[in-house]
Amino acid sequence: MVERWVPRTERDELVMAAMASVRSFTDAMDRMHGGIRSDMDMNATDLAALRMLIVREQRGEWVSPHEIAEHLAISTASTTKLLDRLSESGHVERRPHPHDRRARIVAITEHARREFYRRFGERMVRMRESMADYSDDELRAVIRFLGDMEEALG
């Protein structure tokens, strides 16, 4: 068992404050996602799938059902049910892969895209505005820090 860590130095106190800030940030994200899930009448997995599809679409990437299953760490059977639900609600479409006629891709619908941006858009604007006073080097440090936190939790 790992013993409770107690800060002993100024550096330790700074690390503890950073961890508390990460916790507060993730709590705020959880509250935001909870509200949006409720507004959109979705569960957490449905919303996570839509967020993944939006991000991948912005990168110009196609998404297969297998990639959704992998990203969400769910079974292929659960992925099928998820995609059935999201298709039925008009949020996604299953389409033939543009280059491989045997494969299928999943695409977000225009309806879902509008709904997603209506609910997230204002928050995204406020988040971008909150970064205005940070230098490029500070933003690079934040990016590196959050990437390291993601890897530590993964």
Side-chain angles (χ1 to χ4, degrees), residues 62-147:
W62 296 302
V63 179
S64 71
H66 174 76
E67 289 170 311
I68 292 172
E70 197 171 82
H71 176 75
L72 299 174
I74 60 176
S75 69
T76 54
S78 294
T79 303
T80 299
K81 289 179 185 176
L82 175 141
L83 293 176
D84 288 346
R85 235 181 1 261
L86 292 176
S87 293
E88 191 173 304
S89 65
H91 289 95
V92 301
E93 297 172 334
R94 293 174 174 111
R95 298 179 182 162
H97 191 285
H99 303 300
D100 182 354
R101 293 178 2 156
R102 298 166 296 164
R104 309 280 290 162
I105 60 168
V106 179
I108 193 162
T109 63
E110 186 57 36
H111 157 75
R113 191 178 297 103
R114 278 194 313 271
E115 188 175 12
F116 189 86
Y117 283 111
R118 187 177 80 238
R119 297 181 193 290
F120 274 103
E122 185 179 316
R123 290 174 177 98
M124 295 299 114
V125 168
R126 289 195 313 259
M127 288 172 71
R128 282 192 303 274
E129 288 171 349
S130 73
M131 295 179 211
D133 293 335
Y134 290 84
S135 70
D136 291 357
D137 286 340
E138 288 173 319
L139 289 175
R140 285 184 193 95
V142 169
I143 292 165
R144 192 179 103 222
F145 172 78
L146 291 174

Side-chain angles (χ1 to χ4, degrees), residues 29-84:
M29 291 291 286
D30 287 347
R31 285 189 302 275
M32 178 183 73
H33 289 143
I36 290 170
R37 283 193 318 268
S38 177
D39 290 347
M40 294 177 74
D41 194 27
M42 290 185 171
N43 65 39
T45 308
D46 294 351
L47 184 60
L50 284 184
R51 286 188 1 245
M52 176 204 186
L53 289 167
I54 289 279
V55 168
R56 297 283 298 271
E57 179 182 78
Q58 289 171 339
R59 293 181 194 159
E61 299 172 355
W62 296 302
V63 179
S64 71
H66 174 76
E67 289 170 311
I68 292 172
E70 197 171 82
H71 176 75
L72 299 174
I74 60 176
S75 69
T76 54
S78 294
T79 303
T80 299
K81 289 179 185 176
L82 175 141
L83 293 176
D84 288 346

